């Protein structure tokens, strides 16, 4: 059957790759310029990317640490827990028995990003020249924001620092727990944090079965978000079910 323009645009972005997916995700928030049907479809874009080989992740870790993985971890699971456009995560256990999550940046990702951003800049320039809505939206600025965001995401030191800052902001709170960063094992392309076990916030049935008061949970979530924004002026900008657990 005939597919709507929104579905076709989403399909094109997904086919072009993860950087374009992020571009579409950002565009979906601009409903003041993007037609509602297109914005709705773009909001369904998922940052779901096939994983790279676990053996490759092991090699990247060994190159970063300058030693065998077995010298750092009692065990390292080469099967990734999750995979996204910038990095993927693996489960591991430190030598002292602490269970951790290891986030490894994709190999050779920078040339891909640079190439994709150059193409997006060209497309944005042409659209702004020949399509009035694109000029009003200032697509070139959107592309610039995508570029900055993505290159920031490549730096695991930055992500570790952000996690540590968020943890300090809520150190006296019982409402939010931020995984501990293991700085001794973190470098520019590898992040190691403690493993947190809990219920996925999107699993409503499991939450109810566990006796979680959903109304209280909702109020707590809003309180945490507003505290980050209005008190700390420092907030988690990627709040989705994969990043939130109820413990």
């Amino acid at each position: 059957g005939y597919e709507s323009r929104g579905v076709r645009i989403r399909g094109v972005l997904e086919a072009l790759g993860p950087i374009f997916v992020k571009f579409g995700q950002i565009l979906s928030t601009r409903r003041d310029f993007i037609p509602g049907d297109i914005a709705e479809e773009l909001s369904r874009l998922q940052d779901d990317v096939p994983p790279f080989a676990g053996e490759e992740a092991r090699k990247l870790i060994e190159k970063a640490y300058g030693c065998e993985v077995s010298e750092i971890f009692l065990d390292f699971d080469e099967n990734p827990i999750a995979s996204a456009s910038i990095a993927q995560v693996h489960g591991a256990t430190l030598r002292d028995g602490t269970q951790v999550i290891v986030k490894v940046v994709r190999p050779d990702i920078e040339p891909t990003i640079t190439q994709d951003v150059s193409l997006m800049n060209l497309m944005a320039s042409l659209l702004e020249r020949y399509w009035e809505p694109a000029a009003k939206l200032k697509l070139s600025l959107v592309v610039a924001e995508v570029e900055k965001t993505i290159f920031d995401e490549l730096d695991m030191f930055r992500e570790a620092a952000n996690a540590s800052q968020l943890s300090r902001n809520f150190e006296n709170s019982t409402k939010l727990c931020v995984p501990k960063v293991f700085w001794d094992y973190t470098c520019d392309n590898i992040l190691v944090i403690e493993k947190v076990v809990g219920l996925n916030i999107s699993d409503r049935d499991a939450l109810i079965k566990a006796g979680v008061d959903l109304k209280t949970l909702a109020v707590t979530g809003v309180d945490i978000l507003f505290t980050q924004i209005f008190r700390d002026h420092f907030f988690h900008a990627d709040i989705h079910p994969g990043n939130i657990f109820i413990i």
Side-chain angles (χ1 to χ4, degrees), residues 46-214:
Q46 298 295 313
D47 194 13
D48 185 16
V49 182
F52 59 90
E55 183 181 349
E56 182 69 24
R58 177 184 290 270
K59 290 179 180 177
L60 288 170
I61 293 170
E62 291 179 340
K63 181 180 180 181
Y65 293 157
C67 64
E68 298 288 325
V69 164
S70 59
E71 294 181 44
I72 303 295
F73 304 113
L74 277 178
D75 64 74
F76 174 79
D77 188 353
E78 290 192 0
N79 295 313
I81 297 171
S83 179
S85 56
I86 299 299
Q88 68 184 33
V89 295
H90 294 260
T93 306
L94 295 178
R95 300 293 299 178
D96 65 0
T98 302
Q99 290 193 314
V100 295
I101 296 297
V102 184
K103 185 173 183 178
V104 185
V105 174
R106 286 181 171 273
D108 304 318
I109 186 67
E110 285 196 46
T112 300
I113 292 175
T114 300
Q115 177 180 313
D116 285 354
V117 168
S118 294
L119 180 56
M120 281 196 293
N121 272 316
L122 175 61
M123 293 168 61
S125 177
L126 290 172
L127 284 169
E128 285 176 340
R129 182 179 302 177
Y130 299 111
W131 189 42
E132 186 177 345
K136 290 182 179 179
L137 182 58
K138 297 181 180 178
L139 275 180
S140 295
L141 294 182
V142 177
V143 174
E145 183 63 25
V146 170
E147 181 177 14
K148 180 182 182 301
T149 300
I150 289 176
F151 277 109
D152 283 350
E153 287 183 16
L154 289 179
D155 187 353
M156 292 298 100
F157 276 132
R158 180 187 292 269
E159 182 160 337
N162 287 341
S164 294
Q165 180 63 56
L166 187 61
S167 179
R168 286 192 295 272
N169 290 346
F170 283 85
E171 61 184 351
N172 296 318
S173 173
T174 58
K175 295 180 178 179
L176 180 66
C177 174
V178 181
K180 175 185 175 182
V181 174
F182 292 89
W183 282 97
D184 289 345
Y185 307 111
T186 294
C187 56
D188 59 349
N189 67 327
I190 296 169
L191 172 67
V192 179
I193 61 174
E194 69 172 314
K195 182 178 181 180
V196 175
V197 179
L199 298 174
N200 190 299
I201 197 169
S202 65
D203 193 342
R204 190 172 185 275
D205 292 340
L207 292 173
I208 293 174
K209 186 176 180 180
V212 176
D213 185 319
L214 299 186

